[in-house]
Amino acid sequence: MKRVKVCRSGEKRKGSNSSKARVAFHIFGLRRSALKTSSCRYNTREREIQFKHRNSETDSKVTIFSILSCHLSMEEANMPVEVVPAEENGVEEATERLAALQTDADGGKDNGEVTKKKKKKNKSKKKKELPEQTHPPSIPVAELFPSGEFPEGEMQQYKDDNLWRVTSEEKRELERLQKPIYNSVRKYIREILKPGMLMTDLCETLENMVRKLISENGLQAGIAFPTGCSLNWVAAHWTPNTGDKTVLQYDDVMKLDFGTHVDGLIVDCAFTVAFNPMFDPLLEASREATNADVRLCDVGAAIQEVMESYEVEINGKTFQVKSIRNLNGHSIGRYQIHAGKSVPIVKGGEQTKMEEGEFFAIETFGSTGKGYVREDLECSHYMKNFDGGHIPLRLPRAKQLLATINKNFSTLAFCRRYLDRLGETKYLMALKNLCDAGIVQPYPPLCDVKGSFVSQFEHTILLRPTCKEVISRGDDY
C-alpha cells in the first residue's frame, strides 16, 4: 500500500498520482470549526477515515465511517491528509470515541471553543417592545405591526346553505387572503366631537389623521373617498366645500362616513352621532339593522322588519323609522367603491348572489321622513367613471385637470376640497366640462324631505372561504 501525504497547499508528495484529494464525509452533527485543528487519515481500500483530534487537554483518535455524496476539497477543509492502511476494529473504536467526543463537546468540559459558541447561542436576546398608539393617534399602523400581521376583524360563521364551507378542507386551504390595512379613528373623533365645531375643521382633522396613520402614498395608500358628514335630512354624499361655514349643532343628526384604501383595496364604514338623547331610538334602529344584515346576508324583508320595528319621539311627535328604499349596500372592487352589485335593505330588492372573495359595504339608512331620497343641494363629491374609455377634450384646462385627477385619484372619489389642497384654482368650468363629457360623474347630496332625520351605520365585510370577516368591526359598534 502506497503512503501519500497531501499538504494544505495541494502540492503532491512522492508517490502521489494527483495534486488534489477530495474526501466525502459525514460528521454526525459535529461542527466543522471543532475539527479545524484535527489531522485526518484516509484509507482508499476500506473507505474509512481516521481523524486525530488534538487540543490542549485531549489527544484522541476518531474514525468516521460514513462516506456521503457531498464532496469537499482538502483545501476547503483546511486539513492535512494522510492515507494509511486501516486498523482492525476501526468501526467499533470510532463509534466509541465519537460518542465520547460528542459528550465532551455538549458538556463544555474538553472543548473550550464549542463551549464558548454554545454559551453565546444560549444568551437570550431581549425582544423589542412594540410601540403603543398615542392619544390622539399619530403612529402609522405599519409601525404598530412591523411583522405585517394585522389584526383580523370579527369572524362570523356561515349558516344554512353555506354551512358546508365551515367544514370543507378544500375551502380551509384556500383561506390565505391578504388582509387590507384598516385603522379606525372613530374613538378619537367621538371624543372631540362637540356642538359648535365647524364642519370643515371636523373633516380635515379626521382626514389628516387618517393620512398619517395609513402612511399616505399616492395611489398606493390613502383616503378612499371624501369624508361624508351629512346632517339631518341629508342622507349621504355631503361634505363641506372650501369656505363652507356650517357648524355642528346640539340637535343635529350627523352621519360620519369615511374610508381608507391600500393598493385600491377599500374599507368603508359609517356611524351616526347625535348629542340629543331623543334620537337614540333612531340610531339604534339603523345600527341593529346593519348588524342583522351582516349576520344574515339575507337582504330585504328581514332588514326592513328590524328597521321598522322602531319608533322615535321627536318634540312630542312619534315617528315610525322607515328604511330608505332607494339606498342600498354595495359591492366594493379594487379602486371602485361601487362595483356593481347591490345589497337591498327592503323587500323585493335585487336577488344577485354574493360570491366568495368579494367585499361588500353593508349599510342601512333609517328615516323619519318618506324613506325615499333625491339629489339636492350643492355638489361636493365627484368620481371618474371606472369603465370610461378615451374621450377627446378640446379645453386645455380640462385636459390639465384630468391629468391631476388621474395622477392623484384615478377612479377613487374626490371632492373640491381635495382639488384645492393640491393647488388647483379656477377649475369649476373645467370640472363641469369633464362631467358633461361623461369622464367624471358628479354625486350630489341625497336628501329626504326637509325637516326629517336620517341615521346610518355601515360595515365592510369580506366573504372568506370558511367565514365572513367584518373588517371594520370595533369596540363601539
Side-chain angles (χ1 to χ4, degrees):
M1 191 72 177
K2 290 186 179 180
R3 192 177 187 86
V4 181
K5 291 188 177 180
V6 180
C7 298
R8 291 187 181 181
S9 62
E11 297 176 357
K12 61 182 180 178
R13 293 190 179 181
K14 187 176 181 180
S16 174
N17 293 323
S18 173
S19 61
K20 291 184 178 180
R22 290 186 173 274
V23 181
F25 61 94
H26 179 54
I27 308 185
F28 289 99
L30 291 179
R31 297 178 178 273
R32 177 181 164 186
S33 58
L35 299 173
K36 280 185 178 179
T37 59
S38 302
S39 61
C40 174
R41 299 184 190 178
Y42 175 69
N43 182 276
T44 56
R45 181 173 59 84
E46 300 290 338
R47 301 183 66 80
E48 295 176 357
I49 304 173
Q50 293 186 349
F51 290 84
K52 186 176 181 181
H53 183 79
R54 297 188 182 91
N55 59 25
S56 58
E57 298 182 5
T58 63
D59 188 3
S60 59
K61 294 182 180 179
V62 181
T63 299
I64 307 299
F65 56 89
S66 177
I67 307 297
L68 300 182
S69 60
C70 62
H71 296 281
L72 180 68
S73 74
M74 302 318 300
E75 292 181 31
E76 294 171 351
N78 202 18
M79 304 177 191
V81 178
E82 183 177 319
V83 181
V84 296
E87 297 177 2
E88 294 189 6
N89 299 326
V91 174
E92 296 179 3
E93 182 182 353
T95 304
E96 295 175 1
R97 292 181 180 275
L98 180 58
L101 183 58
Q102 283 181 316
T103 303
D104 292 343
D106 294 339
K109 296 179 181 179
D110 297 332
N111 195 329
E113 187 179 356
V114 175
T115 305
K116 287 180 182 178
K117 289 188 177 180
K118 190 171 182 180
K119 284 184 178 178
K120 286 182 181 178
K121 270 194 167 184
N122 289 336
K123 287 184 179 179
S124 59
K125 295 181 180 179
K126 293 184 178 179
K127 294 183 179 179
K128 293 183 179 179
E129 296 183 359
L130 296 178
E132 294 184 359
Q133 187 59 274
T134 58
H135 185 79
S138 61
I139 302 176
V141 175
E143 294 182 12
L144 295 177
F145 304 95
S147 64
E149 296 181 1
F150 299 93
E152 294 180 331
E154 179 190 42
M155 299 300 178
Q156 295 187 357
Q157 299 300 323
Y158 287 117
K159 297 180 180 180
D160 303 328
D161 292 343
N162 285 313
L163 185 61
W164 65 273
R165 292 176 173 274
V166 179
T167 56
S168 170
E169 290 298 326
E170 179 182 0
K171 293 301 178 185
R172 288 182 180 276
E173 288 300 319
L174 289 175
E175 200 162 77
R176 296 290 183 270
L177 301 178
Q178 181 181 0
K179 303 175 184 63
I181 303 174
Y182 177 72
N183 182 79
S184 173
V185 295
R186 298 190 300 247
K187 182 178 180 181
Y188 177 70
I189 293 299
R190 285 178 184 275
E191 291 178 0
I192 66 172
L193 279 177
K194 58 184 179 181
M197 287 189 70
L198 202 63
M199 300 301 289
T200 301
D201 293 341
L202 169 62
C203 289
E204 290 182 349
T205 298
L206 186 149
E207 289 164 355
N208 290 334
M209 182 177 296
V210 168
R211 289 187 181 104
K212 183 183 296 184
L213 295 181
I214 207 166
S215 301
E216 186 180 36
N217 183 20
L219 292 175
Q220 295 181 11
I223 296 174
F225 52 84
T227 301
C229 50
S230 306
L231 297 174
N232 303 326
W233 65 89
V234 182
H237 296 172
W238 186 86
T239 193
N241 288 321
T242 302
D244 192 293
K245 301 298 181 183
T246 303
V247 174
L248 183 63
Q249 304 293 337
Y250 177 76
D251 288 329
D252 283 339
V253 176
M254 180 181 67
K255 282 73 65 181
L256 201 56
D257 188 353
F258 68 100
T260 58
H261 82 94
V262 174
D263 289 332
L265 298 171
I266 301 171
V267 175
D268 186 1
C269 81
F271 63 100
T272 302
V273 176
F275 303 106
N276 194 328
M278 72 177 177
F279 296 111
D280 288 349
L282 176 63
L283 271 62
E284 185 178 354
S286 55
R287 179 170 53 243
E288 289 306 311
T290 299
N291 287 333
D293 203 345
V294 167
R295 285 195 303 269
L296 297 175
C297 282
D298 181 15
V299 293
I303 308 307
Q304 185 176 8
E305 182 180 353
V306 172
M307 181 76 76
E308 297 183 356
S309 65
Y310 285 84
E311 293 181 343
V312 54
E313 183 178 342
I314 301 174
N315 298 326
K317 188 176 181 179
T318 302
F319 298 86
Q320 181 183 15
V321 180
K322 300 176 183 178
S323 293
I324 297 181
R325 58 185 179 275
N326 60 334
L327 285 180
N328 303 305
H330 50 88
S331 58
I332 302 175
R334 197 162 192 177
Y335 293 102
Q336 188 179 20
I337 185 63
H338 294 162
K341 293 185 178 180
S342 296
V343 185
I345 59 175
V346 294
K347 61 183 177 181
E350 183 178 338
Q351 298 299 316
T352 305
K353 294 291 185 181
M354 297 178 174
E355 297 181 27
E356 178 185 312
E358 290 183 326
F359 289 84
F360 280 89
I362 304 297
E363 56 184 332
T364 59
F365 295 84
S367 174
T368 61
K370 291 184 177 180
Y372 188 88
V373 295
R374 67 196 186 285
E375 295 180 350
D376 196 4
L377 305 178
E378 183 182 29
C379 185
S380 58
H381 285 52
Y382 300 85
M383 185 167 63
K384 182 183 173 184
N385 285 328
F386 188 82
D387 297 320
H390 174 71
I391 298 176
L393 296 170
R394 291 184 178 181
L395 294 180
R397 185 68 181 91
K399 294 179 181 178
Q400 182 184 355
L401 181 61
L402 180 59
T404 299
I405 293 171
N406 287 333
K407 179 181 178 181
N408 295 278
F409 310 113
S410 184
T411 54
L412 296 173
F414 61 93
C415 63
R416 285 157 57 175
R417 281 189 297 107
Y418 291 0
L419 294 176
D420 296 333
R421 184 173 180 268
L422 293 172
E424 291 289 338
T425 58
K426 300 179 181 179
Y427 54 79
L428 290 180
M429 184 63 70
L431 184 58
K432 184 178 184 303
N433 182 253
L434 293 176
C435 293
D436 292 342
I439 298 174
V440 172
Q441 179 70 36
Y443 289 88
L446 302 175
C447 307
D448 204 331
V449 295
K450 190 173 182 178
S452 62
F453 295 92
V454 177
S455 66
Q456 174 199 13
F457 281 84
E458 180 180 17
H459 276 305
T460 297
I461 67 170
L462 168 61
L463 299 181
R464 295 171 61 168
T466 62
C467 64
K468 294 174 290 186
E469 180 180 355
V470 187
I471 299 174
S472 54
R473 178 72 77 189
D475 296 334
D476 51 348
Y477 78 95

